[in-house]
Amino acid sequence: MYPRLVVDLKKVEHNTRIISDSCKTQGVDIMGVTKVFCGFEKIAEAEVKGGIKFLADSRIENLMKLNDLSAEKVLLRLPMISQASEVVKYADISLNSELKTIQALNDAAKKQGTIHKIMLMVDLGDLREGILPNQVDVVVTEILKLDHIKLYGLGVNLTCYGGVIPSEKNLGQLAEIADHIEKTYDIQLEMVSGGNSSSYYLVPQEKLPKKINNLRMGEILVLGRETAYGDAVEDMHDDAFIFEAEIVELKEKASVPTGDIGMDAFGNKPTFVDKGIRRRAILAAGVQDVKAAQLIPMDDKIDFLGSSSDHMIWDVTDSEENYEVGDIVKFKLEYGSMLSLFTSEYIQKDFI
């Protein structure tokens, strides 16, 4: 059934084991971030087999799918107060930056007769979530007053919003803040999480500050590359996930539409380059299914032209393949295209 996404679970497990083993040499555990594949249990299970002890996601709904897997569950997105009860029930740990939310989690944990672990996020310049360093003492003092919250650790997020590269300097600052908290309040932080896949490049270089003992890994496990500079990691697979779409029309047509150009289906005014008559393949998948511009065709002689809701158009003029209607075109993925494919209910997901 097409369009479909084919997942090689052995390759996912292999990728995970390489990163997990590499990080262990530096005393670092990793979280497997499951949000890009919407918490599909089979893929998360492959990551657990590869050495994952923590499974992390931005959506409680995805953590609920993973409830039976033997790994601690972590909520990555800052909790919503309206979901405090669900957060405590389905997440062992949550990332937090707001005292009002932490108080709500404390109340929910009290009702459920449990202790909820939190990681306090610190903003070190990327300007997404986190308290500012000069707020640490005020916030930690209030957290330690709560009887159903455990301050489990400290974390930072980098590159996701502002594109700030993790470095010895900014991660060193996180380590210093962790040391300050432990000495000032006579507590032990069990986890100091130094970011995501963009921090991995520091591991082989042995430049990760010693206090950092956790990284939250998503893209690197599924696509085989770190995300600070986009470099492939040696011996890892970039083809564990393959998208396949069927050609439903194949015709030679002009490269510029005829008539006055207005808005397309999404309110944009498109522009075109006149390349003459080109052989154009329409594939049965569109914007509702995938970010087509972030697909990587395995036939590198074809070029993306555009998408509507249910169709995407590729220029196959220069391809050495003799495509016909009904043929299947295969693609490797970028992070954005993978996320959209897993989110679409119209894409068949097959596991091998």
Side-chain angles (χ1 to χ4, degrees):
M1 181 177 176
Y2 299 97
R4 72 170 186 159
L5 185 56
V6 182
V7 183
D8 189 322
L9 297 173
K10 289 296 183 183
K11 289 183 178 179
V12 174
E13 181 181 342
H14 170 87
N15 283 359
T16 305
R17 184 170 291 109
I18 285 182
I19 297 300
S20 179
D21 289 348
S22 173
C23 288
K24 283 178 182 176
T25 66
Q26 305 296 311
V28 175
D29 281 326
I30 62 174
M31 296 182 188
V33 177
T34 63
K35 63 181 180 178
V36 71
F37 51 83
C38 296
F40 266 76
E41 185 176 8
K42 289 183 178 180
I43 307 172
E45 186 176 19
E47 292 189 346
V48 171
K49 289 179 180 177
I52 291 295
K53 297 179 181 178
F54 301 87
L55 291 170
D57 205 290
S58 294
R59 316 277 172 153
I60 280 294
E61 295 86 350
N62 290 340
L63 292 181
M64 291 168 66
K65 300 176 190 176
L66 306 174
N67 195 47
D68 294 333
L69 292 181
S70 58
E72 287 202 76
K73 313 305 185 305
V74 183
L75 180 65
L76 290 178
R77 186 168 67 182
L78 301 179
M80 292 181 279
I81 290 176
S82 61
Q83 283 190 331
S85 295
E86 289 84 357
V87 173
V88 170
K89 183 175 181 179
Y90 294 106
D92 301 292
I93 307 166
S94 63
L95 278 52
N96 284 268
S97 65
E98 289 287 349
L99 280 172
K100 185 176 180 181
T101 304
I102 297 169
Q103 178 66 63
L105 294 171
N106 183 72
D107 294 343
K110 185 175 182 177
K111 289 180 181 179
Q112 295 180 33
T114 189
I115 302 294
H116 183 68
K117 295 182 284 191
I118 68 166
M119 288 190 47
L120 180 62
M121 300 300 288
V122 182
D123 188 340
L124 296 180
D126 200 64
L127 300 181
R128 206 178 75 172
E129 77 271 43
I131 65 170
L132 297 176
N134 61 10
Q135 300 171 327
V136 166
D137 287 311
V138 171
V139 174
V140 169
T141 298
E142 294 301 313
I143 291 172
L144 295 179
K145 294 177 182 178
L146 302 174
D147 53 2
H148 288 270
I149 292 293
K150 176 179 174 60
L151 182 56
Y152 184 75
L154 206 63
V156 67
N157 187 67
L158 297 164
T159 66
C160 280
Y161 172 72
V164 175
I165 300 291
S167 66
E168 289 180 275
K169 182 178 179 180
N170 53 30
L171 294 184
Q173 186 180 3
L174 183 70
E176 290 173 0
I177 294 171
D179 280 331
H180 167 77
I181 291 172
E182 290 181 335
K183 292 174 182 177
T184 302
Y185 302 97
D186 193 25
I187 60 174
Q188 182 69 40
L189 297 175
E190 296 186 40
M191 181 177 287
V192 182
S193 185
N196 51 46
S197 298
S198 63
S199 296
Y200 176 75
Y201 83 99
L202 294 168
V203 175
Q205 299 178 30
E206 299 185 6
K207 292 183 177 180
L208 202 65
K210 298 299 182 184
K211 192 72 175 177
I212 306 297
N213 63 5
N214 175 267
L215 294 175
R216 309 183 301 278
M217 301 295 206
E219 183 168 344
I220 197 169
L221 303 184
V222 294
L223 295 180
R225 62 168 181 247
E226 57 82 30
T227 59
Y229 301 99
D231 293 333
V233 179
E234 187 176 1
D235 295 329
M236 291 185 71
H237 299 287
D238 67 353
D239 61 350
F241 298 76
I242 298 295
F243 175 55
E244 301 178 347
E246 184 173 338
I247 297 174
V248 293
E249 179 182 293
L250 188 61
K251 296 185 184 300
E252 291 189 348
K253 294 185 179 181
S255 49
V256 177
T258 301
D260 296 331
I261 304 298
M263 294 189 298
D264 64 15
F266 301 98
N268 304 307
K269 188 171 182 177
T271 58
F272 302 91
V273 177
D274 191 349
K275 295 183 178 180
I277 302 298
R278 307 292 289 180
R279 194 163 188 248
R280 298 150 59 93
I282 298 180
L283 277 59
V287 173
Q288 193 165 2
D289 307 297
V290 63
K291 290 187 175 181
Q294 292 192 16
L295 292 171
I296 304 169
M298 298 181 75
D299 178 353
D300 62 6
K301 299 293 180 65
I302 70 174
D303 294 308
F304 176 63
L305 296 177
S307 290
S308 60
S309 298
D310 309 296
H311 305 84
M312 56 179 176
I313 306 171
W314 290 79
D315 185 335
V316 299
T317 309
D318 299 326
S319 175
E320 297 174 2
E321 298 290 333
N322 186 26
Y323 290 111
E324 297 181 2
V325 172
D327 284 350
I328 305 303
V329 184
K330 298 183 179 183
F331 304 88
K332 293 191 287 188
L333 306 178
E334 299 279 3
Y335 189 86
S337 54
M338 182 183 294
L339 181 65
S340 58
L341 286 166
F342 272 103
T343 303
S344 175
E345 63 180 279
Y346 304 107
I347 301 298
Q348 172 81 15
K349 283 84 173 177
D350 292 332
F351 302 91
I352 60 174

